[in-house]
């Protein structure tokens, strides 16, 4: 059965690139897309994905708020959320872990590296 | 002192006449000497070879007659260049009778004389083991034939000269006698004299030769007809073969196209599974595609799909931590060996160069289909594309974005300003008035835009737009813009 990953990302190019990598990952993955934090919360609640890749800088609702919302919902709290952000400072990393993210992955991305992180959490 | 050529020719003829006499007397050695003389005097004399042929022929006949008492066919004119035979061929079917009063019965060792006249009286049969020698005097009375296989004696004819020696030449060559063949009842007379000058220059042909010449002409006509039919058949066969080859080629081409299409689909997102590859091998077998062709197609598709992926990912390289690690990852995804990569490295590098960032395009469109058709292609050309659903939204973005090119629909739905109005707004702002601006024009606005006075940085293409036309227009406007900026700096 395909694993479902929710990607919350407002940048079209980043969405395309993650989608490009996922399609070629040779993993059985279904990618769900949300363009802002609010959409991400709605989709997570509705679809209950296996993993969430969350951009922290998004319009409408940012990644921090969305993560808090998802982690605060009993139906979605178990879903691992990987912070997927351009902010690479230690304090940014600490903040993402604080709101409930299991991993901080900083952009720009390395396909191999990103897939390794995804595999790690999908297996667990 | 050297003799004139005409004298040499005359002397050569005299030598040939002498040779002819010697031949008649079966003195072939002397005859050969005369021929050699003639040859040295006039090497161009066409009859020399004919005389040599005659001598060879008679010598052969002589030796053959000496070995076997069996009669052999009478020789015919051995060469085309022989005017007339100077000697009757050795008697073969007719045993020459001997006159009892003049000559005692004897064993004749030499061939029968070529110029022996028919006997007048019958004579007692004689035992004849060999034909009579050629120098035996002709009997005065007719004698009883000892043995006669061919009752009719050879006729003496005066063969008419032929006008074209080439015809005779060809005819006589065809008429070269075969030893086993029944002799022609009409034979050349042995009494024909040595050719004089006129005769030497006037070749003759017998009626049989003429008949055979006619037969030869008929045969040639038939041959030509057969050749024509064969040519027609050959052409028809070739046409059929070509048609079959074309059909086969088309079938194979269709099969290959089908196979390739499926393979490309399977390889689009990386190497297919082993099971899939086995299925493709089976498909190739069912389509009767040769294995080597299958391997070539698989390799080509793999490289092409990898190349496309490289292009796609490179257009987003600013989002990648490392292009090289991404390419390395893609090599694994597409199972591209290092050898294959190195083999096609230049192609991939060209892709990288071709996809260098060219600038930013602001695309203003509410039409999803237009965005779907154009945006990915602009990106693959190396442009960063920012889309905006309306002119109002674009006005908010443009200052921050500072695009190199603006592509805008000419019309938008109700509640939004038109693209033309948007252009007028930009023209009033010195910061944006020189940015290349391209309309995607509707049918209704096309006439208006055609009649409008657009500035050099402005242009339009009609929807549904031909991307190549749009691409050319973008490059043209960008070129103008760069030149304009350069002119300002001067």
């Amino acid at each position: 059965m395909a694993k479902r990953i929710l990607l919350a990302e407002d940048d079209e190019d980043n969405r395309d690139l993650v989608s490009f990598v996922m399609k070629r990952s040779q993993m059985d993955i279904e990618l769900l897309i949300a363009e802002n934090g609010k959409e991400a919360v709605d989709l997570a609640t509705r679809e209950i994905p296996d993993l969430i890749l969350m951009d922290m800088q998004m319009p409408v609702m940012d990644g921090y708020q969305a993560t808090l919302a998802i982690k605060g919902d009993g139906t979605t709290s178990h879903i691992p959320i990987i912070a997927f952000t351009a902010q690479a400072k230690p304090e940014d990393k600490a903040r993402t872990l604080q709101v409930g993210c299991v991993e901080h992955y900083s952009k720009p991305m390395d396909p191999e590296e990103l897939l390794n992180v995804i595999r790690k959490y999908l297996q667990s | 002192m050297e003799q004139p050529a005409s004298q040499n020719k005359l002397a050569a003829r005299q030598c040939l006449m002498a040779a002819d006499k010697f031949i008649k007397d079966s003195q072939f050695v002397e005859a050969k000497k005369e021929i050699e003389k003639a040859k040295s005097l006039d090497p161009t004399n066409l009859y020399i070879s004919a005389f040599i042929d005659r001598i060879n022929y008679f010598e052969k006949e002589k030796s053959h007659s000496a070995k076997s008492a069996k009669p052999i066919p009478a020789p015919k004119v051995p060469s085309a260049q022989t005017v007339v035979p100077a000697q009757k061929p050795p008697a073969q079917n007719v045993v020459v009778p001997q006159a009892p009063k003049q000559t005692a019965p004897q064993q004749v060792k030499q061939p029968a004389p070529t110029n022996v006249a028919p006997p007048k009286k019958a004579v007692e049969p004689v035992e004849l083991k060999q034909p009579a020698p050629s120098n035996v005097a002709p009997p005065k009375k007719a004698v009883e034939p000892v043995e006669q296989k061919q009752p009719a004696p050879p006729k003496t004819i005066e063969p008419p000269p032929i006008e074209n020696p080439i015809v005779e030449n060809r005819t006589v060559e065809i008429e070269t006698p075969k030893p086993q063949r029944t002799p022609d009842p009409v034979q050349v007379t042995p009494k024909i004299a040595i050719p004089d000058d006129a005769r030497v220059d006037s070749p003759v042909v017998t009626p049989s030769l003429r008949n055979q010449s006619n037969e030869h002409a008929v045969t040639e006509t038939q041959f030509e007809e057969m050749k024509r039919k064969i040519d027609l058949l050959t052409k028809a066969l070739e046409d059929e073969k070509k048609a079959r080859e074309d059909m086969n080629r088309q079938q194979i081409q269709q099969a290959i196209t089908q196979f390739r299409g499926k393979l490309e689909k399977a390889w689009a997102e990386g190497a297919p599974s082993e099971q899939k590859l086995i299925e493709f091998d089976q498909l190739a077998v069912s389509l009767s595609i040769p294995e080597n062709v299958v391997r070539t197609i698989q390799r080509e598709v793999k490289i092409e799909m990898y190349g496309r992926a490289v292009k796609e990912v490179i257009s987003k390289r600013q989002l990648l931590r490392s292009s090289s690690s991404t390419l390395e990852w893609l090599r694994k995804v597409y199972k591209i060996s290092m050898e294959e990569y190195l083999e096609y490295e230049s192609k991939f590098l060209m892709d990288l160069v071709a996809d260098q960032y060219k600038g930013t395009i602001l695309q203003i469109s509410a039409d999803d289909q237009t965005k779907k058709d154009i945006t990915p292609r602009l990106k693959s050309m190396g442009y960063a594309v920012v889309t905006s659903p309306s002119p109002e939204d674009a006005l908010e973005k443009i200052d921050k974005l500072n695009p190199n090119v603006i592509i805008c629909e000419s019309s938008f739905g109700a509640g939004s300003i038109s693209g033309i109005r948007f252009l007028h707004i930009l023209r009033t702002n010195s910061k944006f008035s020189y940015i290349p601006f391209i309309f995607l024009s509707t049918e209704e606005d096309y006439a208006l835009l055609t009649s409008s006075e657009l500035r050099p940085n402005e242009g339009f293409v009609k929807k549904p737009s031909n991307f190549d036309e749009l691409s050319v227009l973008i490059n043209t406007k960008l070129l103008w813009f760069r030149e304009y900026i350069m002119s300002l700096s001067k």
Side-chain angles (χ1 to χ4, degrees):
Chain A
M1 191 179 167
K3 297 282 184 183
R4 300 202 300 170
I5 295 177
L6 170 61
L7 171 66
E9 171 65 75
D10 66 327
D11 185 272
E12 189 182 351
D13 280 346
N14 264 326
R15 288 200 301 267
D16 286 349
L17 188 59
V18 172
S19 177
F20 174 90
V21 171
M22 292 298 165
K23 281 178 184 172
R24 287 160 181 80
S25 66
Q26 295 176 338
M27 295 161 68
D28 193 6
I29 289 175
E30 184 188 342
L31 195 65
L32 309 169
I33 304 284
E35 293 185 12
N36 57 56
K38 190 172 182 309
E39 273 185 29
V41 174
D42 291 345
L43 260 175
T45 310
R46 196 167 66 238
E47 301 292 337
I48 316 293
D50 298 293
L51 181 70
I52 296 172
L53 281 177
M54 185 75 78
D55 180 17
M56 305 318 277
Q57 301 293 317
M58 286 190 290
V60 186
M61 182 189 280
D62 68 19
Y64 297 102
Q65 289 175 315
T67 302
L68 283 171
I70 291 166
K71 286 293 173 186
D73 187 335
T75 57
T76 56
S77 59
H78 68 283
I79 303 170
I81 300 174
I82 298 170
F84 187 59
T85 175
Q87 296 166 322
K89 292 178 187 171
E91 55 265 34
D92 296 324
K93 188 178 177 182
R95 192 181 166 200
T96 55
L97 296 176
Q98 197 178 1
V99 293
C101 291
V102 290
E103 185 88 36
H104 179 99
Y105 186 84
S106 53
K107 299 174 190 173
M109 62 178 276
D110 179 306
E112 187 88 73
E113 208 178 270
L114 177 65
L115 287 172
N116 283 337
V117 172
I118 289 171
R119 277 192 200 100
K120 178 181 161 186
Y121 287 99
L122 283 179
Q123 282 167 4
S124 64
Chain B
M1 190 175 172
E2 205 172 300
Q3 285 184 318
S6 59
Q7 284 184 16
N8 283 349
K9 282 180 187 279
L10 189 62
R13 281 180 187 169
Q14 286 169 348
C15 288
L16 288 176
M17 288 162 72
D20 188 73
K21 278 184 182 175
F22 286 126
I23 291 170
K24 280 168 65 181
D25 296 339
S26 299
Q27 295 174 2
F28 301 127
V29 177
E30 285 75 10
K32 278 182 182 175
K33 283 177 185 172
E34 291 299 325
I35 290 165
E36 283 301 314
K37 273 189 209 171
K39 197 173 179 180
S40 63
L41 287 165
D42 182 16
T44 61
N45 191 308
L46 299 171
Y47 301 103
I48 290 170
S49 61
F51 272 80
I52 293 168
D53 288 345
R54 284 174 66 196
I55 292 169
N56 291 339
Y57 181 79
F58 287 128
E59 279 183 332
K60 195 178 168 187
E61 289 303 309
K62 188 178 171 184
S63 64
H64 188 262
S65 300
K67 284 178 186 173
S68 168
K70 284 185 178 179
I72 55 168
K76 292 180 181 176
V77 179
S79 166
Q81 291 165 344
T82 305
V83 178
V84 286
Q87 188 174 358
K88 183 184 175 181
Q92 295 153 18
N93 299 332
V94 179
V95 178
V96 179
Q98 299 293 321
K101 287 181 182 176
Q102 291 180 352
T103 56
Q106 57 183 312
Q107 289 184 351
V108 180
K109 290 179 182 175
Q110 292 298 320
T114 55
N115 53 356
V116 172
K120 290 177 182 175
K121 288 182 182 177
V123 294
E124 287 297 318
V126 292
E127 186 184 348
L128 185 62
K129 290 182 180 174
Q130 290 288 332
S134 60
N135 55 357
V136 172
K140 289 179 181 175
K141 293 178 182 178
V143 294
E144 282 294 323
V146 177
E147 185 186 342
Q148 190 168 1
K149 289 182 179 175
Q150 190 158 343
K155 289 178 183 174
T156 302
I157 59 161
E158 189 65 36
I162 62 167
E163 290 176 0
N164 186 357
I166 296 169
V167 172
E168 188 201 23
N169 187 354
R170 290 170 63 186
T171 306
V172 173
E173 279 179 359
I174 291 164
E175 285 300 304
T176 303
K178 293 177 183 176
Q180 292 81 12
R181 193 173 164 187
T182 306
D184 195 325
V186 180
Q187 294 180 17
V188 178
T189 177
K191 292 177 77 176
I192 291 172
I194 299 164
D196 56 22
D197 287 356
R199 282 187 178 270
V200 167
D201 292 334
S202 303
V204 294
V205 68
T206 65
S208 66
L209 292 181
R210 177 164 286 173
N211 288 340
Q212 283 160 1
S213 177
N214 290 339
E215 282 172 16
H216 179 69
V218 171
T219 309
E220 270 200 347
T221 311
Q222 288 173 340
F223 175 74
E224 287 299 324
E225 179 62 18
M226 283 172 68
K227 196 179 165 192
R228 194 183 64 78
K229 285 180 180 172
I230 288 168
D231 286 346
L232 282 172
L233 278 171
T234 308
K235 193 176 177 303
L237 282 172
E238 279 174 0
D239 288 347
E240 191 187 336
K241 190 181 168 190
K242 197 182 166 196
R244 279 187 187 169
E245 282 174 356
D246 285 348
M247 202 168 73
N248 286 343
R249 201 178 297 119
Q250 278 177 6
Q251 283 175 348
I252 291 172
Q253 197 59 50
Q254 279 175 358
I256 287 173
T257 306
Q258 186 187 346
F259 182 71
R260 194 185 178 101
K262 289 189 176 179
L263 211 57
E264 280 182 1
K265 208 171 175 183
W267 276 89
E269 290 163 0
S273 65
E274 287 298 318
Q275 180 58 37
K276 269 270 179 198
L277 289 174
I278 291 167
E279 284 172 18
F280 275 111
D281 284 343
Q282 290 167 347
L283 176 66
V285 171
S286 69
L287 292 171
S288 304
I289 303 173
E291 197 180 335
N292 59 334
V293 177
V294 171
R295 297 288 159 251
T296 306
I297 295 170
Q298 282 177 337
R299 187 182 161 85
E300 282 177 5
V301 167
K302 183 169 86 166
I303 297 294
E304 191 179 327
M305 292 297 111
Y306 171 70
R308 282 190 198 175
V310 169
K311 266 183 128 176
E312 198 173 333
V313 84
I314 287 304
S315 67
K316 296 177 174 61
R317 71 195 179 288
Q318 287 178 326
L319 306 171
L320 294 167
R321 194 166 296 171
S322 158
S323 292
S324 60
S325 66
T326 304
L327 293 178
E328 183 63 33
W329 168 71
L330 276 177
R331 274 203 293 275
K332 287 179 192 169
V333 169
Y334 285 88
K335 293 185 179 171
I336 300 287
S337 67
M338 189 50 74
E339 289 76 21
E340 285 171 327
Y341 177 76
L342 292 173
E343 190 180 341
Y344 292 93
E345 189 185 26
S346 58
K347 180 185 178 297
F348 301 138
L349 289 176
M350 284 300 288
D351 287 342
L352 295 181
V353 173
D355 289 327
Q356 295 261 333
Y357 172 72
K358 288 180 180 170
T360 301
I361 292 176
L362 174 59
Q363 186 186 347
I364 309 161
S365 176
D367 181 2
D368 286 341
Q369 189 59 45
T370 303
K371 282 195 275 189
K372 195 178 170 186
D373 289 344
I374 295 174
T375 313
R377 299 189 71 175
L378 289 172
K379 285 181 178 178
S380 71
M381 282 173 69
Y383 292 105
V385 183
V386 175
T387 55
S388 186
S390 66
E392 289 85 354
D393 182 71
L395 282 170
E396 285 178 18
K397 287 180 178 173
I398 194 165
D399 194 28
K400 191 180 168 187
L401 196 64
N402 199 17
N404 302 95
V405 181
I406 298 168
I407 298 174
C408 183
E409 301 263 3
S410 59
S411 294
F412 289 86
S416 181
I417 61 169
S418 72
I420 295 167
R421 174 76 189 130
F422 177 61
L423 176 63
H424 281 293
I425 294 169
L426 292 185
R427 276 182 177 178
T428 58
N429 188 320
S430 59
K431 191 179 174 185
F432 306 123
S433 60
Y434 291 99
I435 294 175
F437 191 103
I438 295 167
F439 282 111
L440 299 176
S441 168
T442 57
E443 186 75 41
E444 294 78 34
D445 294 334
Y446 189 71
L448 176 67
L449 288 169
T450 307
S451 59
S452 301
E453 287 186 11
L454 294 176
R455 292 177 179 176
N457 62 315
E458 297 161 358
F460 57 94
V461 290
K462 198 168 156 183
K463 282 175 68 178
S465 54
N466 178 324
F467 188 77
D468 292 336
E469 190 187 350
L470 177 63
S471 174
V472 168
L473 196 57
I474 291 169
N475 289 335
T476 310
K477 298 304 171 191
L478 277 174
L479 188 65
W480 176 87
F481 186 63
R482 281 179 196 130
E483 284 172 358
Y484 172 73
I485 297 293
M486 285 174 76
S487 70
L488 289 179
S489 65
K490 284 174 187 171

